[in-house]
């Protein structure tokens, strides 16, 4: 039986092109102006849209900038490099390469600093960036289990996924943004060796 039309208007669908332009403009504004001088009006002007268009999508600049950061992180992937060690090294280097982008570096540091005073912003960062990127750790873990490099799950894997994510993300962010030291192949290899040794997932004997 076919459903009858209800006659309700669903409103104008969101434009993916407009969304991309807005998020690009938000990152550009942040790099050029900094957090304090960035305004929704400036972003709207750069994106070529009305300010009301922004407010239909984002309540304030905090939400807008977090989503602008999240889009960059969503582009991260985890190619299968054949081993857990290689997969982890690849993840570290890809994450570091993302942080080398001025837009990603500036936006991430700005929202993290602002989040120290804003619990709602912290929650949004966790949901839009942190929780979504844990997928890479979960994916790498499943591959390693399929290869027999680490044992199958004995209970809920979420706590270990959370911990591994925190260790990798924390180390790379600190190295790249706090210590301002290079995250190169040598550092990635040494870090991975330490991480896998701690997890008991070194080379098979």
């Amino acid at each position: 039986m076919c459903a009858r039309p209800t006659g309700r208007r669903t409103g104008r669908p969101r434009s993916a092109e407009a969304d991309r332009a807005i998020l690009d403009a938000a990152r550009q504004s942040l790099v050029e102006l900094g957090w304090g001088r960035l305004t929704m009006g400036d972003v709207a002007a750069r994106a070529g849209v009305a300010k009301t268009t922004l407010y239909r999508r984002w309540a304030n600049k905090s939400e807008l900038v977090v989503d602008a950061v999240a889009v960059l992180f969503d582009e991260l992937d985890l190619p299968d490099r054949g081993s857990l060690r290689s997969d982890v090294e690849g993840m570290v280097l890809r994450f570091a390469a993302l942080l080398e982008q001025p837009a990603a570096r500036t936006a991430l540091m700005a929202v993290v600093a602002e989040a120290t005073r804003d619990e709602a912003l912290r929650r949004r960062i966790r949901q839009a960036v942190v929780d979504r990127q844990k997928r890479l750790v979960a994916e790498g873990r499943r591959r390693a289990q399929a290869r027999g490099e680490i044992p199958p799950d004995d209970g809920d894997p979420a706590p270990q996924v959370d911990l591994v994510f925190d260790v990798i993300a924390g180390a790379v962010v600190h190295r790249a943004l706090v210590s301002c030291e290079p995250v190169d192949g040598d550092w990635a290899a040494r870090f991975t060796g330490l991480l896998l040794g701690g997890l008991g997932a070194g080379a098979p004997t």
Side-chain angles (χ1 to χ4, degrees):
M1 181 177 178
C2 296
R4 296 180 180 179
T6 63
R8 290 180 58 189
R9 296 180 62 184
T10 58
R12 181 178 298 176
R14 286 179 61 157
S15 165
E17 183 177 353
D19 282 356
R20 283 193 298 272
I22 292 167
L23 296 175
D24 288 347
R27 291 190 296 269
Q28 182 183 14
S29 294
L30 193 62
V31 170
E32 295 181 9
L33 302 176
W35 179 274
R37 294 172 56 201
L38 182 149
T39 66
M40 297 288 269
D42 178 74
V43 174
R46 289 173 186 259
V49 301
K51 191 158 64 172
T52 53
T53 301
L54 266 68
Y55 281 107
R56 282 199 296 268
R57 291 160 164 79
W58 296 278
N60 51 55
K61 74 176 185 181
S62 296
E63 292 186 1
L64 172 59
V65 172
V66 170
D67 283 2
V69 174
V71 166
L72 296 178
F73 279 86
D74 284 343
E75 295 176 358
L76 289 172
D77 59 2
L78 185 65
D80 189 343
R81 299 176 56 164
S83 71
L84 177 58
R85 179 177 294 274
S86 292
D87 282 354
V88 173
E89 289 180 14
M91 182 188 302
V92 167
L93 292 173
R94 283 171 177 268
F95 185 33
L98 174 61
L99 295 181
E100 288 179 359
Q101 298 180 27
R105 177 188 295 261
T106 304
L108 182 62
M109 294 183 73
V111 296
V112 169
E114 189 67 18
T116 61
R117 302 183 292 271
D118 188 336
E119 173 59 29
L121 181 57
R122 287 199 294 273
R123 288 196 300 269
R124 190 170 182 88
I125 293 171
R126 284 197 300 269
Q127 294 166 358
V129 180
V130 175
D131 289 346
R132 291 217 296 251
Q133 297 316 309
K134 289 177 183 177
R135 63 186 169 81
L136 298 175
V137 175
E139 181 181 350
R141 180 183 174 83
R142 286 192 295 270
R143 281 187 198 157
Q145 289 172 331
R147 299 187 194 109
E149 294 173 293
I150 59 176
D153 295 330
D154 182 16
D156 183 7
Q160 190 174 58
V161 169
D162 290 348
L163 180 58
V164 172
F165 178 87
D166 288 346
V167 170
I168 294 175
V172 175
V173 168
H174 189 278
R175 175 84 176 176
L177 302 187
V178 180
S179 297
C180 296
E181 296 288 345
V183 179
D184 53 19
D186 177 66
W187 187 88
R190 289 187 288 113
F191 169 77
T192 300
L194 179 63
L195 176 65
L196 296 188
L199 293 174
T205 57

